[in-house]
């Protein structure tokens, strides 16, 4: 495949769902698993302090005294509320360790990670999935444990993905100027926020992505060349 865009960057930031892994895995496998196991997980582990704290946070944020009902509603509507995302990470752990699923990467992703590693370019992840969920994802990927390929993991603890200040926080943590970070996502709202924060952005357009002409677009990481900034 021919290179379509060349960037200079000191850091690569990637989204997960729809960018490096199929949306169908997150929705049809992970979300289906947490839907099926949510009630039994809470019955088993709802008394543990970490889980009880998530339930309390759920009641506060939803305004619903019935935390299970609120979590199920968020899940049904794919609302990326932090308490739900934290809980999903805990529930998915069992599915990964019991071998119910492994996390697939798009076929072009591993080559890109190799290329960036070869030039010493750090790669960070920013996903609505909790940091725990991200670490499980990369530990139990279909190509083995690739956690060491990533220099940083960020979730909505730094803020919502569609808000520019969240990208400002990531840049501050990474200790680089915003303009030397290159963010890849399928989601136009996230790209607009990152661009407003001063990052370079590229839209990854796979099956089912709503393409947005405001951003450079690639269908494969093979279409990108990155040189160290
Ligand atoms: C860590 S894999 C699960 C990702 C997830 O829970 C999700 O909601 C997808 O969010 P993303 O920001 O990666 O598009
Ligand atoms: Mg995405």
């Amino acid at each position: 495949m021919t290179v379509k865009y060349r960037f200079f960057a000191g850091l690569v930031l990637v989204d997960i769902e729809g960018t490096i892994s199929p949306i169908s895995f997150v929705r049809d496998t992970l979300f289906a698993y947490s839907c099926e196991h949510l009630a039994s997980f809470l019955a088993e582990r709802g008394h543990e302090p970490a889980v009880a704290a998530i339930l309390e946070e759920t009641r506060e944020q939803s305004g619903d005294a019935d935390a299970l009902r609120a979590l199920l509603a968020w899940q049904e509507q794919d609302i990326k509320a932090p308490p739900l995302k934290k809980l999903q990470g805990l529930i998915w752990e069992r599915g990964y360790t019991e071998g119910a699923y492994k996390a697939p990467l798009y076929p072009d992703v591993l080559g890109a990670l190799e290329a960036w590693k070869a030039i010493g370019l750090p790669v960070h992840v920013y996903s609505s999935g909790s940091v725990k969920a991200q670490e499980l994802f990369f530990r139990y990927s279909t190509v083995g444990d690739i956690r060491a390929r990533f220099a940083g993991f960020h979730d909505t603890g730094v803020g919502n993905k569609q808000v520019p200040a969240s990208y400002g926080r990531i840049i501050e943590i990474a200790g680089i100027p915003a303009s030397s970070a290159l963010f890849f996502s399928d989601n136009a709202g996230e790209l607009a926020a990152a661009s407003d924060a001063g990052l370079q952005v590229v839209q990854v357009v796979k099956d089912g992505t709503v393409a947005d002409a405001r951003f450079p677009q690639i269908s494969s990481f093979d279409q990108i060349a990155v040189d160290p900034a």
Side-chain angles (χ1 to χ4, degrees):
M1 202 171 278
T2 50
V3 170
K4 197 171 164 191
Y5 299 107
R6 183 171 288 276
F7 288 91
F8 290 91
L11 176 115
V12 165
L13 182 65
V14 293
D15 162 58
I16 294 181
E17 182 194 33
T19 299
I20 62 166
S21 181
I23 291 174
S24 58
F25 171 68
V26 176
R27 307 231 167 131
D28 303 341
T29 302
L30 290 181
F31 288 0
Y33 187 91
S34 47
C35 261
E36 190 185 334
H37 293 86
L38 183 60
S40 60
F41 180 90
L42 293 183
E44 221 178 280
R45 297 185 48 188
H47 64 281
E48 291 177 16
V51 180
I54 293 172
L55 293 176
E56 186 50 35
E57 216 184 313
T58 301
R59 285 187 280 268
E60 276 168 25
Q61 287 190 21
S62 66
D64 190 338
D66 184 339
L68 175 59
R69 183 172 60 197
L71 287 161
L72 287 170
W74 281 339
Q75 209 161 230
E76 174 71 25
Q77 297 163 56
D78 191 15
I79 291 174
K80 300 190 187 293
L84 172 65
K85 304 317 286 183
K86 283 185 218 165
L87 203 59
Q88 284 176 330
L90 299 175
I91 296 172
W92 292 333
E93 182 164 28
R94 184 175 287 176
Y96 282 114
T97 55
E98 290 181 349
Y101 41 75
K102 284 180 189 220
L105 298 176
Y106 285 127
D108 51 311
V109 172
L110 212 50
L113 292 175
E114 288 292 341
W116 297 333
K117 185 179 172 194
I119 58 168
L121 192 61
V123 182
H124 285 216
V125 180
Y126 184 24
S127 171
S128 302
S130 66
V131 167
K132 179 173 179 75
Q134 296 173 29
E135 288 172 346
L136 287 165
F137 182 96
F138 293 113
R139 177 172 179 184
Y140 296 101
S141 91
T142 51
V143 291
D145 183 351
I146 55 166
R147 284 173 294 173
R149 299 296 178 98
F150 301 95
F153 299 95
H154 310 276
D155 60 20
T156 53
V158 297
N160 185 290
K161 291 182 78 182
Q162 307 217 3
V163 171
S166 308
Y167 297 85
R169 286 189 197 102
I170 293 174
I171 290 312
E172 206 180 306
I173 292 166
I176 54 153
S179 60
S180 83
L182 177 58
F183 176 52
F184 294 96
S185 176
D186 60 321
N187 184 298
E190 295 172 8
L191 293 166
S195 177
D196 285 351
L199 282 72
Q200 304 176 80
V201 300
V202 175
Q203 186 175 33
V204 176
V205 180
K206 303 279 191 184
D207 282 349
T209 307
V210 180
D212 188 319
R214 283 178 296 168
F215 310 109
Q217 290 166 0
I218 56 167
S219 57
S220 161
F221 283 101
D222 299 344
Q223 294 174 310
I224 280 283
V226 186
D227 293 314

